[in-house]
């Protein structure tokens, strides 16, 4: 690891005025959520059209059944949180940290991710279809079954991750990947190259 990796990408943290987390979740009609710190909150069943989510911190929360289409998200920190059936599609996400999270049926389809970190999280079968990666770091994550089909890579660094069974491996062209991650990535790359694999 080079010294510049320690502060890469250069994230802007959430600007939170609260001194402690709140326990009241935003409602179904809250398409603009700003300056909010939530702790231990369960948020279920929101369908948001073109929401604006800015300066948010979520810790030890449970998010389920949330759809955000055409969203704008800036300066978010999501830690130790469970995300199930969360669909954030066709939007722009800047300065996001997702750390120590468990996901199930999560999608960022057709989104642009800029200055984003996924760290120490279970991201199995996460949907990155058509995602534009710009200064994104993924480290210490389980990416098994993830979809990278039609993704576009500007700057993407991946280290210490499990790539077992991903799709769209060839679309990771230009990404930086740890050599130690290649064994789990190689079968998907081989299939994308048209090779037929058989057991020895």
């Amino acid at each position: 690891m080079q010294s510049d990796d320690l502060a890469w990408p250069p994230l802007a943290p959430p600007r939170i005025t609260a001194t402690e987390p709140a326990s009241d979740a935003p409602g179904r009609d809250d398409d603009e959520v700003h300056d909010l710190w939530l702790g231990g909150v369960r948020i279920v069943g929101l369908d948001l059209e073109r929401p604006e989510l800015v300066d948010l911190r979520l810790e030890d929360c449970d998010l389920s059944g949330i759809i955000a289409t055409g969203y704008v998200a800036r300066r978010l920190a999501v830690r130790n949180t469970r995300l199930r059936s969360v669909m954030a599609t066709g939007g722009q996400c800047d300065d996001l940290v997702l750390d120590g999270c468990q996901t199930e049926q999560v999608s960022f389809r057709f989104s642009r991710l800029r200055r984003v970190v996924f760290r120490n999280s279970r991201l199995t079968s996460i949907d990155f279809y058509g995602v534009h990666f710009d200064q994104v770091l993924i480290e210490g994550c389980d990416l098994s079954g993830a979809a990278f089909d039609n993704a576009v890579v500007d700057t993407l660094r991946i280290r210490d991750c499990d790539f077992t069974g991903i799709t769209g491996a060839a679309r990771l062209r230009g990404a930086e990947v740890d050599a130690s991650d290649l064994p789990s990535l190689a079968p998907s790359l081989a299939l994308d190259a048209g090779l037929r694999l058989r057991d020895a």
Side-chain angles (χ1 to χ4, degrees):
M1 180 185 303
Q2 297 184 13
S3 58
D4 62 340
D5 289 342
L6 298 175
W8 191 92
L11 295 173
R15 300 169 185 168
I16 305 293
T17 57
T19 58
E20 60 183 28
S23 57
D24 294 328
R28 295 179 182 274
D29 298 324
D30 292 338
D31 286 340
E32 294 187 9
V33 182
H34 294 199
D35 187 13
L36 184 63
W37 179 8
L38 295 176
V41 172
R42 188 165 187 253
I43 304 174
V44 180
L46 296 180
D47 192 345
L48 306 173
E49 183 71 26
R50 305 184 69 81
E52 185 174 289
L53 312 171
V54 180
D55 293 319
L56 305 183
R57 180 182 300 163
L58 281 69
E59 297 172 347
D60 304 303
C61 292
D62 189 342
L63 312 182
S64 179
I66 297 175
I67 299 173
T69 307
Y71 67 96
V72 173
R74 296 190 183 97
R75 299 185 298 275
L76 276 62
V78 182
R79 292 187 169 87
N80 302 320
T81 289
R82 186 175 184 185
L83 300 95
R84 295 172 293 167
S85 299
V86 174
M87 308 295 159
T89 59
Q92 169 79 41
C93 183
D94 297 340
D95 300 294
L96 163 70
V97 174
L98 193 82
D99 189 358
C101 295
Q102 302 287 320
T103 72
E104 181 180 339
Q105 293 182 324
V106 168
S107 176
F108 286 96
R109 276 192 163 222
F110 300 111
S111 294
R112 183 182 182 102
L113 306 182
R114 183 169 56 185
R115 298 185 305 275
V116 170
V117 173
F118 298 96
R119 179 179 287 127
N120 301 328
S121 295
R122 183 176 181 268
L123 306 177
T124 53
S125 300
I126 194 167
D127 188 355
F128 287 128
Y129 187 99
V131 165
H132 192 147
F133 293 97
D134 183 2
Q135 298 184 70
V136 175
L137 172 65
I138 308 176
E139 63 177 357
C141 293
D142 183 354
L143 290 169
S144 55
F148 290 93
D149 308 81
N150 286 339
V152 175
V153 172
D154 279 351
T155 314
L156 172 62
R157 298 181 185 177
I158 306 176
R159 59 167 66 103
D160 192 25
C161 291
D162 182 356
F163 291 96
T164 303
I166 72 166
T167 62
R171 300 298 298 198
L172 293 173
R173 180 184 178 91
E176 296 180 20
V177 180
D178 275 8
S180 59
D181 293 339
L182 287 178
S184 66
L185 179 59
S188 294
L189 284 172
L191 289 172
D192 277 7
L195 300 179
R196 292 182 295 170
L197 304 181
R198 63 181 178 84
D199 295 332

